[in-house]
Amino acid sequence: MRAAPPPYRFVLMLELGLKILLSYLLGSLMGSMIMGRLVGGVDIRTMGSGNAGGTNALRTQGWMFALGVVAIDVGKGMIATGVIPGLNLPFAAEDPEISRLWLMIACATASVVGHVWPVWHGFRGGKGAATLMGTLAVLAPWLLFPIILIWAWVLVLFGYVGLATMVASVSAPLAVALMRLPHDQPLFIYCAVLSLYIIFSHRSNIQRMRAGTEHRNDRLMLFKKNRG
């Protein structure tokens, strides 16, 4: 018969649960909603595409508003991944059986989930790309350059921000697979799962692209004349 867990096991598990909860609550602080309140009560979820992310913020409120949105959304991903896992909580002892890397990944995931389904804002959030980038800035900063490069390349070729974001997100697990496997399996799993989610969150963009109604930024396209 298997022995019962020691009585302090539940106390130690509090660390995992509380830090995931803190990361989720932090992720639920939407950059667009914070910026909207700072400028007088703007809710970009009622404007443009209805999304609470940086792209809709740029289209409806301008680049300064959008820059503040992205800074907040990226920053909370960085804090959730790089700060919260290392906090010394007075009421939850550090669990020696929990991998510190997996704890960081769990907190990173929770912050992205919070951004997408924010408890503070009626569970209506963004698509998670900016917060994901913030988590990767801590977990694997070397990934940022190829991701941003591919994002920019797709954007100037096709003009679709959503398409660029999806392709860039898929490039993350591919880069880890080519350069870091089999050693960085946790990072690969994280990038693979989150890239699938990013595609799922952009399903409405995919539908609009297929219908020919997706917004395209022609000013950023290098070869728009050749595309007619």
Side-chain angles (χ1 to χ4, degrees), residues 132-188:
L132 174 60
M133 289 294 287
T135 67
L136 291 177
V138 176
L139 291 171
W142 62 272
L143 265 177
L144 296 183
F145 178 73
I147 289 175
I148 294 174
L149 185 65
I150 291 173
W151 180 85
W153 176 68
V154 175
L155 182 61
V156 299
L157 283 180
F158 300 101
Y160 296 116
V161 176
L163 178 63
T165 302
M166 288 186 283
V167 174
S169 69
V170 171
S171 72
L174 292 178
V176 176
L178 291 173
M179 302 175 65
R180 294 297 181 94
L181 285 183
H183 304 294
D184 277 352
Q185 290 186 8
L187 178 62
F188 173 76

Side-chain angles (χ1 to χ4, degrees), residues 2-14 95-97:
R2 186 174 181 180
Y8 57 82
R9 184 68 188 135
F10 174 75
V11 177
L12 290 177
M13 286 297 293
L14 279 176
D95 190 340
E97 296 187 22

Side-chain angles (χ1 to χ4, degrees), residues 8 21 30 51 59 77 83 86-87 89 105 111 115 122 126 131 145 147 152 171 187 190 203:
Y8 57 82
L21 177 60
M30 299 296 299
N51 185 260
R59 291 172 186 164
V83 177
L87 290 178
L89 302 178
I105 289 176
S111 69
H115 178 84
T131 304
F145 178 73
I147 289 175
S171 72
L187 178 62
Y190 176 72
R203 59 194 182 280

Side-chain angles (χ1 to χ4, degrees), residues 19-28 110-111 113-114 117-119 123:
K19 289 182 176 179
I20 288 176
L21 177 60
L22 287 174
S23 299
Y24 167 78
L25 294 176
L26 176 63
S28 292
S111 69
V113 171
W117 293 288
V119 66
F123 301 100

